[in-house]
Amino acid sequence: MVFSYSQLFEFTKSILLKIGCPENEATLAADVLLSADLRGVDSHGVARLSGYVRLWEKGRINSNPHIRVVHETPSTAVVDGDSGLGLVVAPYAMQVAIEKAKNVGTGWVSVKNSNHYGIAGYHAMMALEHDMIGISLTNASPLVSPTFSKERLLGTNPISVAIPAEKQPPFVADMATTTAANGKLEILQRKNLDAPLGWVQDKEGHPTMDSNGVKKGGALLPLGGDREHGSHKGYALGAIVDILSAVLSGANYGPWVPPFVAFLEPDPNPVGAGIGHFFGAMRVDAFRPAEEFKSHMDNWISRFRSAATTPGNEKVIIPGDPERELEAERRVIGIPLLAPVVEDLSQLGEKFGVKF
């Protein structure tokens, strides 16, 4: 079923207002959430709305937080999200990084006491309009086993980097440090499909194609899938995200990160506060004139676009191309939702007296 952006935006904002979010924060959170649907990251969009509501009902999300800087230098800061929606905490923290970059060339902000922040790319792209390079990282629910382990110690821990260009669209990398994000498993589960080999291992550490494997006690696998295909590199990347996002800020890290699902309780002996994020903003003209840099980015992108392709492939894709093309399409024709998501949102609407 296909729904217009405006319909989904107004519904999402109305639900967020019902749980006590201030008007401006409900608007921002809806914008962040729906940006995922527009860009084709359906696992992190409106399908997650009821998950945030359930966490609020459990008292794990503060719908009207006092977000603040608790420590800073001219180029760095730590932000306490006061258990707020990550959809609101993260843009606040990224804006702090941008303001610091305006003043001293770069800004680096680590965040504690937050929650799931939507797609990493939204926050990284905030830097683009300022002729800055944006970086966005977050840790997440521990569903991932490090290489050679069957314990779940890391999250999917995404990395996003957004780089401005002049005439070409910006370069926007946005990826999990696992072979696949958990949200993609959720989509396969709704479709009753198997997962590709290399995404999941069972609770004993054996490869499995069961898309419900994580629910049955298994784990997601780091980028690469296994040691022979470089999973130690995915493990290292996920660990770096965890350390910068949480060990640096005072958030929970590793297996202590609170789960996104409300039916699982956080660890009774946390090592920090909430989940953590990390943001960076670098003013391009702190390195070379912005127009000069962006002209060379155009050249870089153009050269890669013109690369000779392998048989059966039309073109080389620049990071950000598929999402940008899909956003242009979905703003016109609408956003498709799977039947289980439509049913979930309909029930959420009935619960709060909001028409879906």
Side-chain angles (χ1 to χ4, degrees):
M1 298 178 67
V2 178
F3 300 83
S4 70
Y5 171 83
S6 59
Q7 179 183 353
L8 293 178
F9 179 89
E10 290 303 323
F11 175 79
T12 301
K13 179 181 174 181
S14 296
I15 294 294
L16 294 171
L17 288 171
K18 290 284 188 180
I19 69 171
C21 293
E23 175 86 18
N24 63 322
E25 294 186 2
T27 299
L28 173 60
D31 186 51
V32 177
L33 204 60
L34 266 295
S35 71
D37 293 293
L38 284 174
R39 293 176 68 79
V41 192
D42 300 330
S43 57
H44 284 53
V46 73
R48 289 258 169 134
L49 180 58
S50 61
Y52 291 107
V53 171
R54 284 191 288 269
L55 288 176
W56 168 77
E57 290 172 331
K58 294 278 285 188
R60 288 171 51 190
I61 283 181
N62 178 2
S63 59
N64 190 13
H66 174 48
I67 307 166
R68 62 200 185 281
V69 173
V70 293
H71 179 76
E72 66 180 324
T73 71
S75 62
T76 67
V78 175
V79 165
D80 186 320
D82 194 23
S83 297
L85 282 165
L87 306 168
V88 174
V89 176
Y92 174 98
M94 186 63 190
Q95 192 59 45
V96 172
I98 289 168
E99 293 304 316
K100 287 186 175 293
K102 287 179 182 177
N103 292 328
V104 296
T106 66
W108 305 95
V109 178
S110 198
V111 179
K112 64 179 179 178
N113 206 7
S114 186
N115 283 283
H116 190 280
Y117 77 175
I119 57 169
Y122 181 98
H123 315 297
M125 290 190 292
M126 286 175 60
L128 295 174
E129 62 185 274
H130 304 283
D131 279 349
M132 295 181 188
I133 295 169
I135 299 172
S136 169
L137 321 173
T138 186
N139 67 4
S141 307
L143 299 172
V144 183
S145 291
T147 302
F148 301 143
S149 176
K150 61 182 181 181
E151 279 196 80
R152 305 198 304 200
L153 299 178
L154 287 171
T156 53
N157 295 8
I159 297 172
S160 180
V161 179
I163 304 173
E166 188 173 16
K167 295 178 182 176
Q168 291 284 353
F171 174 108
V172 182
D174 187 353
M175 61 183 192
T177 53
T178 47
T179 305
N182 187 52
K184 291 189 176 180
L185 275 185
E186 292 171 349
I187 291 172
L188 291 177
Q189 291 160 15
R190 293 182 190 119
K191 294 180 177 180
N192 294 314
L193 297 175
D194 286 338
L197 197 62
W199 282 25
V200 186
Q201 66 183 18
D202 65 22
K203 63 181 180 179
E204 298 302 326
H206 302 127
T208 180
M209 296 176 68
D210 184 354
S211 60
N212 289 288
V214 175
K215 288 183 176 180
K216 295 176 181 177
L220 290 168
L221 292 169
L223 186 62
D226 55 38
R227 178 65 173 80
E228 289 68 29
H229 294 91
S231 69
H232 58 292
K233 299 177 183 179
Y235 161 38
L237 287 171
I240 290 167
V241 172
D242 197 35
I243 293 164
L244 292 178
S245 298
V247 180
L248 195 59
S249 68
N252 288 292
Y253 47 82
W256 292 277
V257 176
F260 178 74
V261 292
F263 60 82
L264 292 177
E265 293 296 326
D267 192 291
N269 300 300
V271 293
I275 76 166
H277 319 308
F278 184 79
F279 303 101
M282 296 185 286
R283 215 172 66 210
V284 167
D285 66 5
F287 298 87
R288 70 188 296 190
E291 295 309 312
E292 185 178 288
F293 170 84
K294 292 194 292 182
S295 174
H296 278 278
M297 273 304 299
D298 280 357
N299 190 44
W300 189 98
I301 291 169
S302 297
R303 178 63 187 89
F304 275 73
R305 285 198 198 284
S306 65
T309 57
T310 52
N313 293 295
E314 278 184 29
K315 61 181 180 179
V316 170
I317 294 171
I318 305 301
D321 278 354
E323 295 88 349
R324 175 179 50 81
E325 292 166 4
L326 202 52
E327 179 173 354
E329 178 182 301
R330 288 187 171 187
R331 283 195 180 276
V332 175
I333 67 171
I335 295 168
L337 298 179
L338 294 172
V341 176
V342 173
E343 182 180 352
D344 183 49
L345 294 175
S346 297
Q347 291 174 357
L348 188 63
E350 290 175 11
K351 182 175 185 176
F352 285 96
V354 177
K355 181 175 170 53
F356 179 68

